[in-house]
Amino acid sequence: MEELVTEWLRLDKDPVTRREIETLVAEKNTKELESRLGTRLAFGTAGLRARMGAGFSRLNSLTIVQTSQGLADYILRNDSGSAAAGIVVGYDARHDSKKFAELAATVFTTKGIKVWWYEDLAHTPMVPFGIKILHAAAGVMVTASHNPAQDNGYKVYGSNGCQINSPADAYIAAAILNNLEPLSWTEQKQSPLKQAILPFVKRRYLELVAQTFGKPNKLANTPDFIYTPMHGVGLEYFIGALDQIGITQSMTVVEKQARPDPDFPTVKYPNPEEKGALDLAITTADEKGIHLILSNDPDADRFAAAEKIEERWHQFTGDQVGILLAYYLFVENGGKANSSLFMLTSAVSSQMLSSIASEEGFSAAETLTGFKWLGNCALGLQNEGNHVLFAYEEALGYMIPDIVHDKDGIIAAIIFLSVCSRWGSPWEMLQQLYRKYGYFETVNTYWRSPDIATTQKVFAKIRGQGEPFPASVGDRKVVRWRDLTLAFDSATHDNFPDLPSSESSQMITYWLSKTADDQGVRFTIRASGTEPKIKIYLECQSAESHLAKSGALRVLRFLYREWFGDAGLAIEDKYSQLLSPAVNA
């Protein structure tokens, strides 16, 4: 431990984090020192995301400098023209985001790489959009999205404007380990290689959004709505888009959440998905007599909506918003069969989009979870001459590839308002779609796992229920099994899955047989890569809503009893009723 402390103090030039380690040494807090210094923050396809603080395992000035040096080395070695093409660097309103972005920019310019500098707060999609229009070699966005206030992150995009994917992440991780000695430290305010560019990129972005989705006749009937940026950067960009279109008069902002505040003082978690996150927006809406709420997360790449239905608020799921946006875009695109027209979704999102595509004659494709997969898939299809109109995943992410190859909460909000303007109540329109294409009821939840060993034990138990896979789940037969950890799919001719597999991540999908009441159940169980959770995404399809709901819940109850009985596992609070004897009888 003494060697690690010495090495940290030798490398770190930030007085705040140096003092943290010195204090822990003075207190002889060996356990905390081991936690901070004993492991190194791992770089992956999501870049970095971690708690801020001193130590090799935390996000801080030193780990930002080291990561930036490795990224710069990787970019320069892989493309001789990358120094001139430059790197787009942006940041959100979190604690130390601007400081970290300036340190990264200093590293890049020291290495002789041009920096396209965002001199003010940006929402995350501005970085991949900037890469696209500036023809940059890469992009870095300093953000932790909707994580708690003590976290931050370092998100990396490639020259194609998509989040990096494997094997680039492994090459960058190796380059970081070869560049641990800081070559520069002082935040460099001025450099001939550092060009402020945000006003130009922002103007181009807002003009393109308005040109694509802001035609006055498409938004003529926009209802009054409440908007919250959840203490993040979204308001300025959303107002900018609305100004271009001319409908700002329809919006009332939740004032206590309107301005950037890195402490997120009014919410436990700054994530619109979390229970209670929209409470202030609902209170504001009730006071104003407004029946529609729109929300972004703090870096405005995600979007959420809620509507008051018969005196009760309904918050739309990511799948429900995704289906509404997809159907609207299909109709706006002509509403005709076209096999070269694609929409994309992730493997854990609803199957409803695929059903609509099959009936209407356009193409739908699935990828693994995350916009690193959706963005790159869309780009590949576009390069083959297809038109990829839209992509989404259930975790409130929506992408318009014609504008940016990443999720964008501002664009999603504008399209959602178009849905409301065209059809009135989004809830009523959703019911019409259910009646036409069938009810797809989802139950997405998670169990908190105390440790990796418990998680591995759960997945071993699941796999141990049959050979080569379980024959049934409760009273339903397993009609298809796909294990992306072991690279097995019972539905393919060679039993090799179409989607990428990885031994380092746990992900199993079941397709279960139909009953007299429904068209079957599909569910995926996977271990989260960023949280101590085992997640489940379960969906049942039926001609009746109540039958789809009951089918989904029956399977979930069985899984809870038979597969997740370990005392160390705790189900999400909103499904805690499953713990009661009455429910599980």
Side-chain angles (χ1 to χ4, degrees):
M1 181 54 60
E2 185 177 342
E3 290 181 2
L4 289 172
V5 170
T6 300
E7 180 69 357
W8 174 267
L9 294 176
R10 183 182 74 82
L11 295 173
D12 186 20
K13 301 297 186 292
D14 187 323
V16 175
T17 45
R18 282 181 64 87
R19 192 157 51 248
E20 283 185 42
I21 295 300
E22 290 168 344
T23 299
L24 291 172
V25 171
E27 294 172 347
K28 298 181 180 181
N29 192 338
T30 306
K31 182 178 180 181
E32 185 65 16
L33 284 168
E34 175 65 33
S35 172
R36 302 284 193 100
L37 301 173
T39 58
R40 175 167 291 280
L41 193 58
F43 185 93
T45 55
L48 301 174
R49 189 177 295 187
R51 188 167 183 170
M52 289 178 284
F56 298 119
S57 67
R58 298 285 182 92
L59 209 66
N60 50 65
S61 296
L62 176 60
T63 51
I64 288 289
V65 167
Q66 292 174 327
T67 300
S68 300
Q69 291 181 167
L71 176 61
D73 185 61
Y74 167 80
I75 290 171
L76 290 171
R77 283 190 290 106
N78 281 273
D79 182 359
S80 59
S82 60
I87 300 177
V88 179
V89 179
Y91 56 92
D92 68 4
R94 284 178 174 268
H95 289 294
D96 287 339
S97 281
K98 185 176 183 179
K99 172 184 173 181
F100 292 159
E102 287 176 332
L103 284 168
T106 299
V107 168
F108 300 145
T109 56
T110 300
K111 291 272 193 175
I113 302 173
K114 183 178 183 62
V115 169
W116 300 103
W117 174 248
Y118 287 176
E119 63 271 37
D120 202 352
L121 303 178
H123 82 311
T124 291
M126 289 297 289
V127 168
F129 181 78
I131 294 170
K132 177 180 177 179
I133 68 167
L134 297 169
H135 307 290
V140 170
M141 178 67 189
V142 180
T143 179
S145 191
H146 54 268
N147 274 38
Q150 64 266 29
D151 292 356
N152 216 325
Y154 185 100
K155 194 172 187 177
V156 179
Y157 295 85
S159 61
N160 60 2
C162 297
Q163 293 178 45
I164 59 165
N165 211 337
S166 297
D169 62 318
Y171 296 147
I172 296 169
I176 293 168
L177 295 178
N178 289 326
N179 288 273
L180 297 179
E181 192 75 30
L183 300 180
S184 61
W185 194 272
T186 306
E187 300 157 31
Q188 198 174 54
K189 304 298 182 182
Q190 299 294 329
S191 166
L193 291 175
K194 185 179 180 183
Q195 181 176 343
I197 198 72
L198 183 59
F200 169 77
V201 177
K202 183 179 178 182
R203 183 174 67 253
R204 287 282 300 274
Y205 170 82
L206 294 174
E207 287 173 352
L208 184 55
V209 171
Q211 175 187 330
T212 308
F213 299 110
K215 296 173 184 175
N217 61 315
K218 305 297 184 186
L219 290 151
N221 299 313
T222 300
D224 291 340
F225 63 92
I226 299 295
Y227 173 71
T228 174
M230 205 69 67
H231 297 297
V233 301
L235 180 61
E236 181 179 341
Y237 288 86
F238 192 39
I239 286 179
L242 296 178
D243 275 339
Q244 289 275 340
I245 300 165
I247 56 170
T248 51
Q249 71 280 0
S250 299
M251 179 174 69
T252 298
V253 179
V254 179
E255 286 300 328
K256 291 182 179 179
Q257 297 175 336
R259 306 300 166 195
D261 187 329
D263 293 316
F264 312 118
T266 68
V267 291
K268 185 176 181 181
Y269 298 105
N271 180 355
E273 286 184 295
E274 292 286 346
K275 184 178 180 181
L278 294 183
D279 283 357
L280 264 180
I282 289 172
T283 298
T284 305
D286 286 340
E287 290 173 352
K288 302 288 185 181
I290 294 174
H291 289 192
L292 183 66
I293 292 171
L294 309 186
S295 174
N296 291 126
D297 66 341
D299 67 329
D301 64 348
R302 285 176 169 83
F303 167 74
E307 183 182 9
K308 196 170 190 179
I309 309 296
E310 296 180 353
E311 300 308 311
R312 296 186 64 182
W313 281 95
H314 171 77
Q315 183 168 343
F316 295 93
T317 67
D319 282 315
Q320 290 172 337
V321 171
I323 292 303
L324 286 167
L325 301 189
Y327 190 75
Y328 172 82
L329 292 169
F330 171 65
V331 171
E332 283 295 305
N333 198 62
K336 296 179 181 178
N338 179 357
S339 61
S340 65
L341 177 69
F342 275 80
M343 296 200 202
L344 311 178
T345 189
S346 70
V348 299
S349 300
S350 175
Q351 300 167 96
M352 188 172 180
L353 180 60
S354 294
S355 293
I356 295 174
S358 178
E359 186 160 333
E360 298 296 346
F362 63 91
S363 297
E366 285 188 352
T367 73
L368 293 180
T369 56
F371 279 83
K372 64 187 179 187
W373 297 105
L374 288 164
N376 281 286
C377 179
L379 194 61
L381 288 167
Q382 288 171 312
N383 289 339
E384 294 170 359
N386 300 292
H387 182 197
V388 183
L389 190 60
F390 176 65
Y392 92 91
E393 68 174 6
E394 53 78 35
L396 306 184
Y398 315 95
M399 177 178 81
I400 302 296
D402 286 345
I403 298 180
V404 64
H405 286 88
D406 198 10
K407 57 186 177 292
D408 190 327
I410 300 299
I411 296 175
I414 296 297
I415 304 173
F416 193 82
L417 288 177
S418 301
V419 169
C420 298
S421 179
R422 180 175 185 129
W423 290 311
S425 166
W427 170 259
E428 291 301 325
M429 185 61 201
L430 188 63
Q431 304 316 303
Q432 290 184 40
L433 295 177
Y434 284 148
R435 289 190 288 270
K436 183 176 182 180
Y437 299 107
Y439 288 85
F440 293 75
E441 294 291 345
T442 58
V443 178
N444 297 340
T445 187
Y446 60 83
W447 282 264
R448 290 195 178 274
S449 177
D451 48 49
I452 294 174
T454 301
T455 298
Q456 291 175 336
K457 181 180 175 183
V458 169
F459 280 92
K461 180 179 180 179
I462 292 170
R463 293 189 178 99
Q465 294 179 357
E467 183 64 40
F469 57 88
S472 63
V473 173
D475 57 358
R476 293 181 188 257
K477 293 181 179 179
V478 176
V479 297
R480 180 182 174 188
W481 157 285
R482 183 177 67 201
D483 189 332
L484 293 180
T485 308
L486 302 182
F488 180 87
D489 190 335
S490 66
T492 60
H493 71 281
D494 58 358
N495 291 143
F496 196 80
D498 294 329
L499 296 177
S501 56
S502 172
E503 293 181 357
S504 64
S505 59
Q506 297 281 4
M507 185 170 176
I508 300 173
T509 302
Y510 284 77
W511 286 258
L512 306 183
S513 59
K514 302 177 183 179
T515 69
D517 292 333
D518 60 59
Q519 299 301 304
V521 170
R522 183 182 78 168
F523 68 90
T524 295
I525 298 176
R526 73 179 185 94
S528 172
T530 58
E531 302 170 285
K533 294 178 180 178
I534 302 173
K535 296 185 175 183
I536 184 168
Y537 310 83
L538 192 152
E539 181 176 61
C540 181
Q541 178 187 358
S542 179
E544 299 290 339
S545 176
H546 73 280
L547 294 177
K549 288 178 182 176
S550 61
L553 286 173
R554 277 200 303 273
V555 172
L556 184 63
R557 287 168 185 152
F558 174 85
L559 298 178
Y560 172 78
R561 290 196 305 267
E562 302 298 325
W563 293 7
F564 294 91
D566 189 290
L569 297 171
I571 198 168
E572 182 185 11
D573 288 346
K574 69 180 180 181
Y575 287 105
S576 60
Q577 70 268 22
L578 295 174
L579 298 173
S580 70
V583 172
N584 293 292

